[in-house]
């Protein structure tokens, strides 16, 4: 099987973390664990969610055979298995048997009823891979984790994730301009929206300025207490809320670095980048923030369009005066930065960029020194 082939990481002398060299393997595990679990000791303000109106509760129905058949059909047979070493092709053969499929569905329904996720599904393998196009690989931040989970658990997660996507679309909890990895939304939509905004403002002789921001370490930074409260706000059945309250806790992982394997580590923050539940949980986590941000900007009378992806987003400002447009972007950026902290999140200022679109305008440069961004 191709997944067992060795893939060496870039050769380096030592990993730096917090400006210190980590020369032993134990220090390496500590550096990686700290990097990939940044929300472990982050302060959050749970009272911020009081500004979000609760959605009416929706009932959770039993899983069907059609849901499981649809989920497993689209699974890639070449996908790397987790600790159980069970491939998708093998599981597809097993679940062709109607008795096996019925038993698995019964087990999945029981997990929801009991609010329980087994410990063997909570254990994962975290493969450390280099981020592409980095000049140096001497920092723990130059690498990213890929989480390998048990295959049967992944299938159940796929079914649950798809159900959550449809339920959130039904009750309109997801912020309207949240895109990427969500049902009924695509990158084509955002391309058409941006093109329409820019061209319509050209007709009005307005200039468009777009600020691009990135949330640092978004996957590792999700606070589980905040997430559970958001699930309640979104109107999910108490069975579902109780299930995720158990699903998110007592998780453990081994880190793999070349031929080295770490001892088991607790990971009671973040969501795994290998889980199909991650996109919808990330979207749910960010939706209240975007609603509150929009409300704050309206109260401040700052007309800004907001578009959000999984861990980054855009502010779009239109005005005949680029000075006014720039001021709006800077004010919006500061409001967003302070609000994100209440959710246990931070902006990666070094990735902040500004783009402009204009007809006959000759815009002056936008000074982003105060927010440590870069100007294009």
């Amino acid at each position: 099987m191709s997944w067992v082939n060795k893939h060496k990481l870039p050769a380096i002398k030592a990993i730096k973390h917090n400006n210190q060299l980590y020369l032993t393997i134990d220090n390496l595990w500590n550096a990686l664990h700290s990097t990939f679990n940044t929300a472990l000791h982050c302060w959050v303000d749970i009272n911020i969610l009081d500004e979000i109106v609760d959605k009416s509760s929706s009932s959770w129905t039993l899983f069907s055979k059609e849901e499981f058949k649809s989920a497993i059909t689209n699974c890639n047979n070449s996908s790397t298995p987790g600790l159980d070493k069970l491939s998708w092709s093998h599981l597809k053969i097993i679940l062709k048997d109607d008795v096996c499929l019925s038993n698995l569905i019964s087990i999945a329904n029981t997990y929801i009823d009991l609010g329980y996720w087994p410990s063997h599904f909570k254990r994962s393998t975290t493969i450390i891979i280099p981020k592409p196009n980095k000049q140096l690989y001497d920092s723990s931040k130059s690498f990213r984790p890929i989480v390998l989970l048990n295959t049967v658990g992944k299938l159940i997660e796929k079914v649950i994730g798809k159900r959550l996507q449809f339920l959130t679309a039904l009750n309109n909890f997801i912020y309207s301009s949240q895109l990427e990895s969500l049902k009924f939304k695509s990158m084509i939509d955002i391309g058409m929206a941006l093109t329409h905004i820019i061209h319509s403002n050209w007709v009005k002789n307005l200039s468009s300025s777009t600020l691009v921001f990135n949330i640092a370490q978004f996957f590792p930074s999700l606070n589980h207490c905040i997430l559970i409260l958001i699930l309640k706000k979104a109107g999910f059945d108490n069975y579902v809320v109780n299930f995720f309250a158990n699903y998110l806790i007592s998780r453990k992982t081994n880190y793999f670095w070349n031929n080295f394997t770490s001892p088991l580590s607790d990971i009671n923050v973040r969501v795994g980048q290998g889980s199909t539940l991650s996109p919808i949980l990330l979207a749910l986590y960010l939706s209240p923030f975007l609603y509150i941000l929009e409300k704050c900007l309206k109260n401040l009378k700052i007309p800004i369009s907001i578009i959000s992806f999984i861990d980054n987003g855009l502010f779009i400002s239109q005005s005949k005066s680029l000075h006014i447009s720039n001021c709006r972007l800077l004010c919006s950026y500061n409001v967003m930065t302070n609000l994100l902290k209440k959710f246990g999140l931070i902006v990666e200022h070094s990735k902040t960029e500004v783009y402009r679109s204009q007809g006959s305008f000759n815009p002056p440069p936008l000074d982003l020194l105060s927010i440590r961004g870069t100007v294009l």
Side-chain angles (χ1 to χ4, degrees), residues 132-279:
N133 305 320
K134 294 287 184 179
Q135 292 183 348
L136 294 174
Y137 289 92
D138 60 351
S139 168
S140 58
K141 292 184 178 181
S142 298
F143 299 84
R144 66 179 179 181
I146 297 297
V147 179
L148 303 182
L149 301 164
N150 283 293
T151 306
V152 175
K154 285 170 65 176
L155 177 60
I156 298 174
E157 288 183 357
K158 281 178 179 289
V159 176
I160 295 173
K162 190 172 183 179
R163 179 82 71 86
L164 294 181
Q165 293 254 12
F166 279 101
L167 288 175
T168 51
L170 186 65
N171 68 7
N172 291 318
F173 183 80
I174 297 294
Y175 187 73
S176 59
S177 61
Q178 274 185 273
L179 303 168
E180 193 170 351
S181 300
L182 292 171
K183 297 291 183 185
F184 315 115
K185 297 182 180 182
S186 70
M187 295 304 295
I188 296 176
D189 295 331
I190 181 57
M192 294 177 64
L194 284 173
T195 302
H196 172 75
I197 290 171
I198 292 171
H199 282 267
S200 62
N201 283 289
W202 280 351
V203 172
K204 300 174 184 177
N205 201 30
L206 299 178
S207 174
S208 297
S209 295
T210 302
L211 186 147
V212 182
F213 63 88
N214 182 273
I215 300 174
Q217 297 288 323
F218 188 31
F219 280 82
S221 299
L222 264 66
N223 181 280
H224 290 171
C225 292
I226 288 278
L227 182 56
I228 293 301
L229 292 174
I230 290 173
L231 291 173
K232 293 180 181 179
K233 290 283 182 180
F236 289 114
D237 192 293
N238 284 333
Y239 286 109
V240 178
V241 176
N242 293 334
F243 167 79
F244 276 102
N246 182 270
Y247 171 89
L248 293 168
I249 64 172
S250 303
R251 304 186 74 89
K252 298 180 181 295
T253 194
N254 293 102
Y255 295 101
F256 274 65
W257 177 285
N258 281 338
N259 295 325
F260 300 101
T261 306
S262 77
L264 280 173
S265 299
D266 294 327
I267 46 172
N268 290 322
V269 292
R270 74 181 170 109
V271 293
Q273 288 181 252
S275 171
T276 51
L277 279 172
S278 296

Side-chain angles (χ1 to χ4, degrees), residues 12 32 74 162 234 316:
I12 53 174
L32 294 174
N74 297 323
K162 190 172 183 179
I316 305 172

